Amino acid sequence: AEIAPGAVHVPGWLGPDEQRRLLADCRAWARPPAGLRTVTMPNGGRMSVRSVCLGWHWYPYGYARTVVDGDGAPVKPFPAPLGDLARRAVTEAYGEPCAEPYDIALVNFYGEGAAMGMHRDADERSAAPVVSLSLGDACVFRFGNPGTRTRPWTDVELRSGDLFVFGGPSRLAYHGVPRTRPGTAPPALGLTGRLNITLRVSGLPG
Ligand code: MD5
Ligand code: FE
């Protein structure tokens, strides 16, 4: 379903086996060095989600090749299969792939009570669509507008296996996750909480 121009939601895009495989990969990526960490914002606040980055390390507000605000380790490489997955996702949403190769994955883990305030993803130097995949507990995803952090917005329920692609005029829209729905993960997946994987194009050299 097209929620707004360029914002395409595909419920249940990943089947149960693909969800289990992706979860197992996320657990491996979360291990140190350069594993799961808590991000501290410039104002001293800590994000309630915990994150691991592949390809490029995101920190507020930029990208680096090492965990500049953590253990200092080199960021794990971006796995080629995630590039293929991003290409398939964009083709599913728009009918054709993106010209630029994907080179960043950000994995966000939402434990009980975790949320993400309204923000824009503006640290990439590419206008390529952001591919979002959800695993585990459902959540309320709040899709706003490019001009203000405030209304109008549309709340969309995201569930395990859902794909969301944000491109075109939606690429720089404000968005957030006001709440998850604890206990709603598919029992067979074996995940308590929610994982979101975003695939991005950095637009950075090499
Ligand atoms: C999440 N993560 O569900 C979301 C999914 C983040 C983040 O917001 O920054 O890690 S990504 C949603 C997204 C990305 C780019 C543009 C838009 C939404 N948008 O225009 O709404 O954990
Ligand atoms: Fe975001």
Side-chain angles (χ1 to χ4, degrees):
E2 191 165 59
I3 303 298
V8 180
H9 180 204
V10 185
W13 188 61
L14 294 174
D17 289 342
E18 289 170 296
Q19 292 178 48
R20 273 196 296 272
R21 273 199 296 271
L22 189 55
L23 173 58
D25 288 339
C26 289
R27 285 181 167 140
W29 298 326
R31 291 199 286 264
L36 203 65
R37 86 198 206 291
T38 302
V39 178
T40 302
M41 303 305 286
N43 67 8
R46 300 180 96 207
M47 291 179 70
S48 57
V49 301
R50 288 181 296 153
S51 315
V52 60
C53 308
L54 309 175
W56 286 92
H57 175 80
W58 180 80
Y59 65 95
Y61 290 94
Y63 282 104
R65 284 297 197 186
T66 59
V67 184
V68 289
D69 55 351
D71 67 8
V75 63
K76 289 178 171 82
F78 180 78
L82 286 187
D84 297 340
L85 189 65
R87 191 179 171 85
R88 282 200 288 126
V90 172
T91 304
E92 170 76 24
Y94 296 153
E96 60 182 15
C98 174
E100 298 160 81
Y102 282 70
D103 62 349
I104 301 173
L106 303 187
V107 180
N108 287 329
F109 175 72
Y110 294 74
E112 196 161 339
M116 194 178 287
M118 297 297 279
H119 68 279
R120 296 192 300 178
D121 294 9
D123 295 325
E124 299 78 26
R125 293 182 196 170
S126 161
V130 172
V131 170
S132 159
L133 299 164
S134 293
L135 296 177
D137 285 340
C139 77
V140 177
F141 176 77
R142 182 159 289 172
F143 178 79
N145 63 83
T148 71
R149 204 177 287 272
T150 58
R151 286 182 173 82
W153 56 51
T154 305
D155 284 352
V156 181
E157 196 87 4
L158 292 186
R159 298 187 179 80
S160 195
D162 286 12
L163 164 68
F164 216 132
V165 179
F166 301 93
S170 294
R171 176 64 180 78
L172 289 176
Y174 280 91
H175 60 277
V177 177
R179 60 163 300 173
T180 65
R181 302 204 184 279
T184 58
L189 187 60
L191 173 62
T192 300
R194 170 175 190 257
L195 276 180
N196 178 264
I197 300 102
T198 52
L199 306 174
R200 302 160 188 247
V201 177
S202 70
L204 296 165

